[in-house]
Amino acid sequence: VFMLTKTGYLYLFDIHSGKAIYRVRITTDSVFVATEHTSSGGVLAITRRGQVLHMALNEANLVPFIVGTLKDHKLAISLASRLNLPGADDLYVQQFNSLLAANDLAGAAGVAASSPNGFLRTPATIMKFQQLTA
């Protein structure tokens, strides 16, 4: 969820957890009006001086930003699953392998099923499960 203040601050929140993901001051001018920009999923705003601002999410960099800057792996995996975002592949592999090592087959299967773009839904993953149950 985007939140834009009258004083020119932009906030980005995860709607499910309520966690703040990003905040920045985008203008020193007062924001006069703002609206949703449906084609980009972002926000358009106009300042008192007539400056038009467009803010949108860079989906390719969101998960790496959360991992690298916020250090919140749980939030990164949650967003990648819900929004089918790239960038969390290593986190999914780590979580999948740790669940397999702990013999939590149901948990590992859940991680594989929810992996973005189905990158863990492969014959190699099926073979790992078969090796454990054999």
Side-chain angles (χ1 to χ4, degrees):
V1 170
F2 287 103
M3 183 176 79
L4 181 61
T5 69
K6 183 178 177 179
T7 56
Y9 288 93
L10 175 70
Y11 296 88
L12 178 64
F13 294 96
D14 172 38
I15 197 164
H16 288 271
S17 66
K19 291 183 179 180
I21 297 172
Y22 188 71
R23 65 181 176 268
V24 66
R25 187 160 196 185
I26 58 171
T27 183
T28 56
D29 298 329
S30 294
V31 175
F32 175 65
V33 66
T35 187
E36 177 184 12
H37 188 255
T38 54
S39 65
S40 70
V43 177
L44 282 175
I46 301 174
T47 66
R48 290 272 180 204
R49 292 192 311 163
Q51 182 182 21
V52 178
L53 307 170
H54 176 241
M55 293 75 55
L57 188 62
N58 183 340
E59 293 180 352
N61 291 327
L62 181 61
V63 172
F65 173 80
I66 292 170
V67 171
T69 305
L70 302 180
K71 309 285 190 230
D72 192 339
H73 294 240
K74 185 176 178 182
L75 178 61
I77 287 175
S78 172
L79 282 172
S81 293
R82 279 188 280 123
L83 304 176
N84 206 24
L85 297 174
D89 296 358
D90 292 340
L91 295 174
Y92 273 93
V93 170
Q94 288 173 0
Q95 188 176 26
F96 177 77
N97 288 333
S98 68
L99 290 170
L100 280 182
N103 209 24
D104 182 358
L105 301 181
V111 169
S114 67
S115 64
N117 299 316
F119 81 92
L120 278 177
R121 288 176 253 157
T122 64
T125 302
I126 293 170
M127 285 180 55
K128 285 185 179 183
F129 281 111
Q130 289 173 339
Q131 290 171 352
L132 287 174
T133 57

